[in-house]
């Protein structure tokens, strides 16, 4: 096999393909259907890659810089998929990664004008009952379906929105184009229009005391059906401290971003953030969430809420500059948290993001430096990890968990943040960040591009109810798959992946493989962040 980024490479970027058999290669440009060899070279033996158990060689063709369509052939007769060399290469990808969220909109119809062939009627509009008191109902329509299921959960929502809003704040020039959603053309960038759909729903998810309901789902996951066919009763599940802290953080962040576009909306979100913060003060103890009996929808449980509280303190402080949030931030910073992670379980990296990208630099210099050093040290660690990996991805065998592509992309985000922070090492971090994207788009041991519609061998069967039920052959483009997991959970994966398969290869492009091939809003959002950086 010859594994490479099937979308392709930026003109000035490092370009490396991975050969599993060959040791020399030719780069061939396709010109008017004819093959033209532009480079012949030896590959460099790497040895055994631990996560895939492949003996690989690295084919470095960075010197090829002429824009065009290419393939690579090696001395064993292996041929790569087609790829492109060009500037602004990841623009369409970024657009579709973001547009994918529009397809998750709940509580409205997706019209042909915006959804093309992927239309569906309005879904999930009934009132939800409180799980703990069925006598009480609330209207909480809207938001994005979380994933391949129809549930809507606060922590994942908060994290996904945060990734997107930071992408916009840091790289606004990458979001000038419209993505054809109902609000397009209203004078507000579409990324903010799309996020607002989620934020408006989130505003409804707060109880009178300021706590955020952990989730809004049916009791049991729906069978495979179109969203509008799912008539099950939805419930509001109890408030958790994790969800409430994520809620405060994302609302504070959003209030900052939207202030220049819609002051009233921004103020409303700041009020919601303050109310949530008030709840957190009243409840300093950890209040987790466990699925009650007779409920199997997503749990999103976490054993610790300190990272969520830290993120909330950071966002509240950056948004308001108020002393009490600064004090909380300083206190919570002493907790033993990694401060570099951007996933739904550990959001402490988002606190770093808030502090380090705050243009007003309000955080005391000593604390700021502490966060900065931690982020840069992690970027160095990831760079080393990437260099020591046969497929150039900053992952260890044990990192292939449910949603491993999120780990890859969150690491990409961290590297991008490091690029923003340290000019001197920007080239190095950019290179490593791109290597994570290359892995996602095909430089991996299974030879798939893990984004639908992007790459000659893009996966096609995401675990996503509308995709399976809409009668349309191809899934909508721009969906990131969860990716390989060393410990698969679903039946299909367990039955079909032999024990002992190396973790990078524990993947199936199968619709029933929810632990390997689902889609989620928060696996796309870090991909938007990373690609937006390279589309500046
Ligand atoms: O992404 C979540 C992953 O990190 C967890 O290991 C897994 C099991 O708890 O749950 C994943 O989240 C799923 C959620 O529970 C329900 N919606 C679909 C999500 C993606 O599979
Ligand atoms: Zn719905």
């Amino acid at each position: 096999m010859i594994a490479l980024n099937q979308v392709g490479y930026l003109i000035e970027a490092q370009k490396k393909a991975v050969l599993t058999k060959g040791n020399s290669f030719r780069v061939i440009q396709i010109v008017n259907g004819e093959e033209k060899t532009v480079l012949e070279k030896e590959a460099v033996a790497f040895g055994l890659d631990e996560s895939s158990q492949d003996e690989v060689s690295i084919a470095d063709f960075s010197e090829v810089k002429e824009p065009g369509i290419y393939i690579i052939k090696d001395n064993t007769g292996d041929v790569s998929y087609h790829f492109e060399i060009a500037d602004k290469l990841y623009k369409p990808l970024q657009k579709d990664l973001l547009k994918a969220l529009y397809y998750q909109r709940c509580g409205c119809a997706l019209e042909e004008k915006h959804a093309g062939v992927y239309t569906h009627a309005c879904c999930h509009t009934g009132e939800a009952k409180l799980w703990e008191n069925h006598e009480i109902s609330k209207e909480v329509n809207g938001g994005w379906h979380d994933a391949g299921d129809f549930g809507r959960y606060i922590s994942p929502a908060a994290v996904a929105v945060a990734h997107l809003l930071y992408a916009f704040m840091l790289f606004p020039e990458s979001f000038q184009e419209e993505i054809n959603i109902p609000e397009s053309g209203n004078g507000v960038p579409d990324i903010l229009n799309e996020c607002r759909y989620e934020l408006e729903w989130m505003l409804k998810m707060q109880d009178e005391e300021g706590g955020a309901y952990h989730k809004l789902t049916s009791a049991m996951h729906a069978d495979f059906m179109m969203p509008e066919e799912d008539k099950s009763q939805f419930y509001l599940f109890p408030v958790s401290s994790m969800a409430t802290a994520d809620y405060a953080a994302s609302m504070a962040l959003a209030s900052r971003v939207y202030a220049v576009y819609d002051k009233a909306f921004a103020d409303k979100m700041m009020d919601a953030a303050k109310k949530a913060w008030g709840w957190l003060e009243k409840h300093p103890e950890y209040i987790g969430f466990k699925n009650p009996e007779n409920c199997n929808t997503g749990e999103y449980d976490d054993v610790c809420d300190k990272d969520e509280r830290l993120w909330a303190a950071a966002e509240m402080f950056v948004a308001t500059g108020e002393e009490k949030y600064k004090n909380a931030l300083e206190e919570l910073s002493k907790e033993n948290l990694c401060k570099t992670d951007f996933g739904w379980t550990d959001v402490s990296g988002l606190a770093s993001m808030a502090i380090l990208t705050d243009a007003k630099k309000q955080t005391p210099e000593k604390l700021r430096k502490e966060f900065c050093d931690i982020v840069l040290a992690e970027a160095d660690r990831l760079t080393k990890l990437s260099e020591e990996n046969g497929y150039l991805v900053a992952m260890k065998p044990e990192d292939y968990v449910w949603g491993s592509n999120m780990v890859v992309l969150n690491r990409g985000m961290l590297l991008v943040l490091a690029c923003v922070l340290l000019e001197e090492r920007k080239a190095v971090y950019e290179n490593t960040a791109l290597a994570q994207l290359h892995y996602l788009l095909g430089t991996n041991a299974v030879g798939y591009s893990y984004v639908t519609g992007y790459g000659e061998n893009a996966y096609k069967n995401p675990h996503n109810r509308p995709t399976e039920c809409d009668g349309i052959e191809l899934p909508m483009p721009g969906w990131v798959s969860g990716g390989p997991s060393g410990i698969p959970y679903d039946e299909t994966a367990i039955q079909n992946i032999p024990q002992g398969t190396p973790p990078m290869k524990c993947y199936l492009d199968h619709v029933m493989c929810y632990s390997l091939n689902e889609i989620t809003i928060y696996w796309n959002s870090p991909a938007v962040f990373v690609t937006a950086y390279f589309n500046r």
Side-chain angles (χ1 to χ4, degrees):
M1 185 179 63
I2 301 178
L4 46 67
N5 182 335
Q6 295 162 30
V7 173
Y9 300 84
L10 299 171
I11 292 174
E12 293 303 329
Q14 198 177 79
K15 306 173 191 76
K16 288 178 176 175
V18 178
L19 315 184
T20 56
K21 297 208 306 265
N23 48 34
S24 69
F25 66 101
R26 285 187 301 139
V27 178
I28 297 159
Q29 190 176 9
I30 313 290
V31 186
N32 300 322
E34 304 277 306
E35 297 191 354
K36 180 181 128 197
T37 299
V38 299
L39 180 72
E40 257 191 278
K41 220 175 147 180
E42 297 294 308
V44 177
F46 171 89
L48 185 74
D49 171 71
E50 215 189 336
S51 299
S52 62
Q53 293 294 310
D54 286 340
E55 283 278 350
V56 299
S57 297
I58 310 290
D60 187 339
F61 58 104
S62 304
E63 56 265 55
V64 181
K65 290 185 177 178
E66 194 180 306
I69 304 291
Y70 294 85
I71 53 170
I72 291 180
K73 292 186 180 176
D74 72 13
N75 58 315
T76 71
D78 275 358
V79 185
S80 76
Y81 293 107
H82 288 77
F83 64 96
E84 195 175 344
I85 294 178
D87 268 336
K88 306 279 179 214
L89 189 55
Y90 309 123
K91 277 233 156 214
L93 170 64
Q94 182 205 313
K95 226 168 142 176
D96 277 337
L97 287 165
L98 177 61
K99 175 75 182 260
L101 298 174
Y102 161 76
Y103 293 111
Q104 296 300 96
R105 287 191 186 193
C106 182
C108 67
L110 303 190
E111 316 254 1
E112 196 186 330
K113 196 172 155 214
H114 310 113
V117 289
Y118 304 108
T119 55
H120 70 71
C122 186
C123 59
H124 303 116
T125 48
E127 293 209 319
K129 292 181 173 174
L130 293 194
W131 180 263
E132 289 180 314
N133 180 358
H134 291 193
E135 299 299 304
I136 302 175
S137 297
K138 270 187 80 168
E139 187 273 300
V140 274
N141 296 331
W144 300 318
H145 299 143
D146 177 57
D149 64 318
F150 302 135
R152 278 150 286 151
Y153 310 79
I154 284 299
S155 292
V159 165
V161 163
H163 294 162
L164 298 171
L165 294 183
Y166 275 116
F168 173 72
M169 277 204 292
L170 296 175
F171 321 119
E173 59 280 26
S174 297
F175 294 96
Q176 283 169 8
E177 285 160 45
E178 288 174 4
I179 59 167
N180 184 26
I181 54 177
E183 300 79 8
S184 293
N186 66 355
V188 178
D190 270 351
I191 185 163
L192 300 189
N193 284 325
E194 196 48 57
C195 286
R196 184 165 182 162
Y197 196 83
E198 184 77 337
L199 289 161
E200 294 279 8
W201 163 73
M202 288 175 74
L203 281 169
K204 302 178 186 178
M205 287 292 286
Q206 190 169 35
D207 77 1
E208 291 69 39
E209 283 164 19
Y213 298 109
H214 193 77
K215 64 173 177 176
L216 168 65
T217 72
S218 45
M220 305 295 275
H221 280 307
D223 290 339
F224 268 58
M225 60 178 79
M226 287 301 280
E228 68 271 29
E229 288 163 5
D230 177 24
K231 301 294 181 200
S232 34
Q233 176 64 50
F234 270 58
Y235 296 95
L236 283 161
F237 287 82
V239 167
S240 69
S241 54
M242 173 197 176
T244 305
D246 285 336
Y247 189 92
S250 54
M251 283 292 159
L253 164 63
S255 81
R256 250 195 307 150
V257 182
Y258 287 81
V260 292
Y261 297 95
D262 185 341
K263 183 78 177 24
F265 178 53
D267 288 346
K268 201 169 161 190
M269 290 192 289
M270 183 40 81
D271 287 346
K274 285 185 172 159
K275 234 176 121 182
W277 182 269
W279 185 97
L280 292 169
E281 280 181 331
K282 236 200 287 162
H283 299 275
E285 75 284 11
Y286 162 81
I287 300 177
F289 179 83
K290 284 273 173 243
N291 265 344
E293 244 179 88
N294 311 319
C295 172
N296 76 349
T297 52
E299 196 160 55
Y300 289 114
D301 186 35
D302 195 356
V303 289
C304 159
D305 69 0
K306 295 281 189 230
D307 51 313
E308 285 81 10
R309 287 175 190 265
L310 172 72
W311 180 33
E315 295 290 0
M316 293 300 286
F317 175 57
V318 171
T320 65
E322 285 173 27
E323 199 67 16
K324 74 164 172 178
Y325 303 120
K326 185 174 90 184
N327 295 340
L329 172 62
E330 289 194 309
E331 262 324 291
L332 287 157
S333 299
K334 294 178 195 149
E335 298 285 339
N336 182 25
L337 300 166
C338 80
K339 303 188 178 82
T340 53
D341 220 337
F342 303 107
W344 64 267
T345 2
D346 190 335
V347 296
S348 58
L350 287 165
S352 307
M353 185 79 88
I355 291 166
L356 297 173
T357 64
D358 173 17
K360 294 191 205 151
K361 297 205 161 123
Q362 301 168 87
T363 308
E365 191 43 36
K366 189 168 162 276
L367 191 58
R368 214 187 113 82
K369 184 164 183 317
E370 231 172 85
F371 273 85
C372 188
D373 290 348
I374 290 171
V375 166
L376 295 176
E378 176 66 358
D380 288 335
R381 183 187 78 90
L382 294 178
T383 299
K384 191 156 172 283
L385 208 57
S386 200
E387 283 163 2
E388 287 167 355
N389 186 284
Y391 287 87
L392 311 159
V393 68
M395 295 279 281
K396 288 188 172 172
E398 61 270 27
D399 295 329
Y400 291 86
V401 293
W402 189 329
S404 62
N405 283 338
M406 178 187 88
V407 182
V408 172
L409 288 165
N410 287 350
R411 290 178 178 181
M413 279 182 75
L414 188 283
L415 289 155
V416 166
L417 176 60
C419 292
V420 173
L421 295 176
L422 190 62
E423 189 61 34
E424 297 102 271
R425 280 181 65 76
K426 195 164 118 182
V428 175
Y429 298 147
E430 276 185 357
N431 188 36
T432 316
L434 277 175
Q436 313 315 304
L437 196 62
H438 298 329
Y439 167 89
L440 186 80
L441 296 169
T443 313
N444 56 57
V446 290
Y448 276 109
S449 161
Y450 288 121
V451 182
T452 51
Y454 284 85
E456 203 177 337
N457 192 38
Y459 85 107
K460 292 190 181 64
N461 303 292
H463 179 88
N464 185 23
R465 283 170 174 71
T467 299
E468 180 61 5
C469 304
D470 61 10
I472 294 154
E473 201 194 315
L474 284 180
M476 35 227 112
W479 274 121
V480 173
S481 162
S485 165
I487 314 163
Y489 284 88
D490 61 83
E491 266 314 297
T492 313
I494 291 168
Q495 276 170 21
N496 291 288
I497 297 180
Q499 284 268 328
T501 301
M504 203 198 286
K505 291 182 173 167
C506 288
Y507 173 74
L508 285 176
D509 180 17
H510 194 293
V511 65
M512 292 321 287
C513 288
Y514 57 83
S515 65
L516 306 178
N517 211 32
E518 192 163 348
I519 53 128
T520 74
I521 56 174
Y522 54 91
W523 298 338
N524 263 48
S525 55
V528 171
F529 185 96
V530 173
T531 49
Y533 177 76
F534 291 104
N535 289 332
R536 271 141 54 243

